[in-house]
Amino acid sequence: QFVVSISLFLGTVFIHRQMQFIQDRDLSLKTDQVVVIPIWRLANGNGARFHNQVTQVPDIVAFTNANSSLFDGLNSTTDLKWPGMPKDAEMWIANFHVGDRFLQFFDMKMREGNNLDNVSPKSPNWILNETAVKKMGLKDPVGQSITFREKPGTIIGVVKDFHFQSMHKEIMPVIMQYNPDAGIFLYLRVQPQH
């Protein structure tokens, strides 16, 4: 009985500490009351119609969209070139095509430069995260030219690193581009009382 009691006590302490870790860890993005809908799964190409209808629901306080789920898988590539890139260098980078409200929706903080507010759709303007800038070795990255997937463009901003994978993994380099047609995943923030 004593061994069972001690085992249950230690198990409770361990679970409590893990729950505290999860609750207290700063992800650097706000995910409270967020619902993710993979609208690409809707039959007959009704994703746009569904998007228009669901965003009119009064209990939806904010919405945005992206080409990848922040919480389940990602789209990544090594097709990136930058000034001073070492020959034979290769860096995996997560690629997010996002709606214009994406950064504000998740309350992501800009470290420098601009967000996507005044950017033309699909323009060659990119936002990188801090990890990407560090791994690329860029000093004063805003305004520098890069080539992503054979498309030359300009870095317009650097966003604070945020967790979008397991907390056991290092934060991966990220590149973002404004694309209003990136409607594969719809993110909805619902009122807390619902």
Side-chain angles (χ1 to χ4, degrees), residues 23 25 31 41 57 59 63 71 84 104 117 124 127 142-143 154 161 185 193:
Q23 291 172 345
R25 186 67 188 234
T31 58
R41 291 185 178 177
V57 174
D59 293 332
F63 64 91
F71 313 113
Q104 293 88 342
D117 287 345
I127 291 180
V142 175
T154 305
D161 280 341
F185 288 91
Q193 67 269 22

Side-chain angles (χ1 to χ4, degrees), residues 29-40 47 50-51 54-56 59-75 95-108 162-164 176 179 182-190:
L29 68 152
K30 184 179 175 186
T31 58
D32 300 347
Q33 292 5 78
V34 172
V35 177
V36 183
I37 300 173
I39 59 176
W40 59 272
F50 176 78
H51 178 278
V54 78
T55 55
Q56 301 302 316
D59 293 332
I60 305 297
V61 295
F63 64 91
T64 191
N65 57 297
N67 71 326
S68 298
S69 172
L70 272 180
F71 313 113
D72 184 29
L74 59 111
N75 182 4
N95 172 31
F96 292 100
H97 288 258
V98 299
D100 59 342
R101 300 182 196 124
F102 189 82
L103 297 169
Q104 293 88 342
F105 180 89
F106 286 107
D107 197 26
M108 294 180 180
F162 57 95
H163 288 276
F164 60 96
M176 293 185 200
N179 182 351
I184 296 174
F185 288 91
L186 178 62
Y187 297 88
L188 306 170
R189 188 175 308 281
V190 296

Side-chain angles (χ1 to χ4, degrees), residues 10-24:
L10 291 176
T12 302
V13 169
F14 177 76
I15 290 171
H16 175 72
R17 292 183 71 197
Q18 289 296 314
M19 293 302 291
Q20 281 301 125
F21 174 78
I22 291 169
Q23 291 172 345
D24 294 343

